[in-house]
Amino acid sequence: MLDIKLIREQPDTVRQRLASRRAGDEAKVDELLTLDEQRRKLLGEVEILKSQRNRVSKEIGALMGQKKLAEAEAKKAETRQIGDRIADLDKAVATAEQARDQILIRLPNLPHPTVPPGASSADNPVVRTWGSQPAFGFKPKSHVELCEHLRLVDFARGAKLSGSGFLLYTGWGARLERALIQLLLDVHVREHGYTEVSPPFIIGRDCMFGVGQFPKFEDQAYAVQEGQDGSTLGKLYLLPTAEAPVANIHREEILKESQLPINYVAYSPCFRAEAGAAGVGTRGMIRVHQFDKVELIKIATPETGYAEHEQMLAHAEKVLQLLGLHYRVVLLCTGDMGFASAKTYDIEVWAPGQGQYLEVSSVSNCEDFQARRMNLRYKTETGENRFPHLLNGSGTALARLFVALVETHQQADGSVSLPERLQPYLHADRILPG
RNA sequence: GGAAGGGUGGCUGAGUGGUUUAAAGCACCUGACUCGAAAUCAGACGUAGGCGCAAGCCUACCGGGGGUUCGAAUCCCCCCCCUUCCGCCA
């Protein structure tokens, strides 16, 4: 959520920065300001009346204490009408406020000045590249072929259980998935100093609102209901990312500056309805309704937010380096960023069997956009309450990492060699058929 | 799912319709005393919104929402959460 005061004081700047995202949101600013002005005008009126009522009520109390009942009754009658006007004005204030907030909570974050202008992913500059595309003395297979050959994933039976977009990992595939989760958690906890948390996988609306998933992207979420009780629908959702619960851990709290930065890492499955995306890239493991992810979250002061952002990116990259995977880092342009983010790097890993880079990580600084939505603050050394920066980054998403891993490390004989760091977790150095 | 008891500032905790401007204590902060500290004394000590150049003034907030009333932490209704017990259950 943007700061209403910033919009009031610098409407042109806000309009311009919203326009750079090319989503048309700047058109809403005028209406927002009109409603805001209306609210403040009504609020001023009603507060004067309330002040008056408070004063008279106190006088009535004093009169009754002195047993001057007739005078007290007279004042009561007089004040009754003020109460009616207050009730009307209160309603008008609430109406204006709700209308204002309906717009405000749907405006996306403002891009950081270092974010390049652009319309789509085609305009994202590549920041750096690590490693190079591996050369094969044979035509590399796609992960789908490898998974079938090595029986890592049973696509048909996954679909039988839950429909298309759901995976049944089997044998070495299941073990590899588990090993990857364990490795990533270990790296971030032991080498990067994050605190591991394990959140609920079913979360409340407030979590979804706080990180900016709701209300705009409600149709992307899986809603759950208890048994046959339809009235429970709309309260709980399957998490689309661990960011949603973990970023909300300290919602409504006032942290001490000395506690910051807070660094959390969490494993969770992620559930995405991907409404409207049916049929797009549904073959294989690249776009699925459920995947595993290890997520990094930081709560930092505005002073260190962007340094922490770079560090988080390095932490996510480290994972790919350990697994010997070629990747590139791109900086998302203004037109390609997510709703809550002020600046985002994507890490794209090379998948030889696909002949393309796959997004496995998105590392964002949302600045105070989410903190404001969830009323998360911290107290500075001087006693001032401020909104901290909230950062999130995948460290990393698993299904696509799995794809890149098996495609990159496949051998001519159809086996997959395992990177050294993964071997202790699997007690093997390669995956063979059978 | 059933029963009972709870939810008041950072913490403990008083407060059953009217100087409550939420008592008191603890913690924290500032000042005094001290070479310094402790103890003691004095003061300050919540969150947000609005108005104002400012000093400051006003409004709201006692788990959340609604109601009664001139006036609600206090009375009424609905909901949420916590504790204990019972039932069910991995």
Side-chain angles (χ1 to χ4, degrees), chain A residues 1 109 365-373 387-390:
Chain A
M1 193 159 65
N109 204 352
N365 186 357
C366 297
E367 298 189 357
D368 59 9
F369 186 84
Q370 296 176 321
R372 190 170 268 114
R373 287 172 91 89
F387 293 107
H389 279 196
L390 269 168

Side-chain angles (χ1 to χ4, degrees), chain A residues 197-262:
Chain A
V197 292
S198 180
F201 299 159
I202 297 177
I203 59 178
R205 300 187 66 82
D206 291 347
C207 289
M208 298 292 266
F209 179 83
V211 293
Q213 287 280 337
F214 283 8
K216 252 193 139 172
F217 306 106
E218 195 157 346
D219 57 350
Q220 297 295 321
Y222 283 107
V224 299
Q225 92 175 18
E226 290 176 33
Q228 300 294 310
D229 184 357
S231 73
T232 59
L233 198 58
K235 292 181 175 168
L236 294 171
Y237 296 84
L238 295 183
L239 79 176
T241 159
E243 173 199 354
V246 176
N248 275 284
I249 287 174
H250 299 288
R251 163 155 49 97
E252 312 262 331
E253 292 182 22
I254 301 177
L255 303 168
K256 291 189 194 116
E257 184 167 10
S258 58
Q259 290 176 265
L260 304 182
I262 291 174

Side-chain angles (χ1 to χ4, degrees), chain A residues 13-136:
Chain A
T13 310
V14 170
R15 253 191 295 262
Q16 190 188 329
R17 292 175 70 189
L18 282 175
S20 75
R21 299 186 60 126
R22 316 215 186 165
D25 295 295
E26 67 279 8
K28 285 288 186 183
V29 172
D30 280 340
E31 191 185 348
L32 176 70
L33 287 172
T34 305
L35 289 164
D36 181 53
E37 210 167 305
Q38 200 176 348
R39 171 185 168 272
R40 278 187 294 158
K41 181 172 161 284
L42 293 165
L43 195 61
E45 290 174 28
V46 75
E47 285 190 353
I48 289 169
L49 291 177
K50 282 181 179 174
S51 173
Q52 204 175 323
R53 182 181 67 183
N54 287 346
R55 201 185 59 240
V56 176
S57 289
K58 220 169 270 181
E59 289 168 8
I60 292 171
L63 287 171
M64 292 183 55
Q66 296 161 31
K67 305 283 186 221
K68 297 181 179 170
L69 298 182
E71 282 178 55
E73 286 304 321
K75 275 195 190 287
K76 277 191 199 179
E78 172 193 328
T79 316
R80 208 161 286 149
Q81 284 135 27
I82 298 181
D84 293 343
R85 285 171 62 199
I86 288 174
D88 289 344
L89 280 169
D90 266 342
K91 277 198 191 87
V93 170
T95 302
E97 186 168 299
Q98 279 161 21
R100 179 193 73 172
D101 290 346
Q102 282 303 308
I103 297 173
L104 192 59
I105 62 177
R106 286 176 172 79
L107 290 179
N109 204 352
L110 304 177
H112 188 266
T114 57
V115 173
S120 73
S121 57
D123 301 316
N124 298 339
V126 175
V127 174
R128 65 175 153 271
T129 301
W130 190 88
S132 55
Q133 296 180 13
F136 294 90

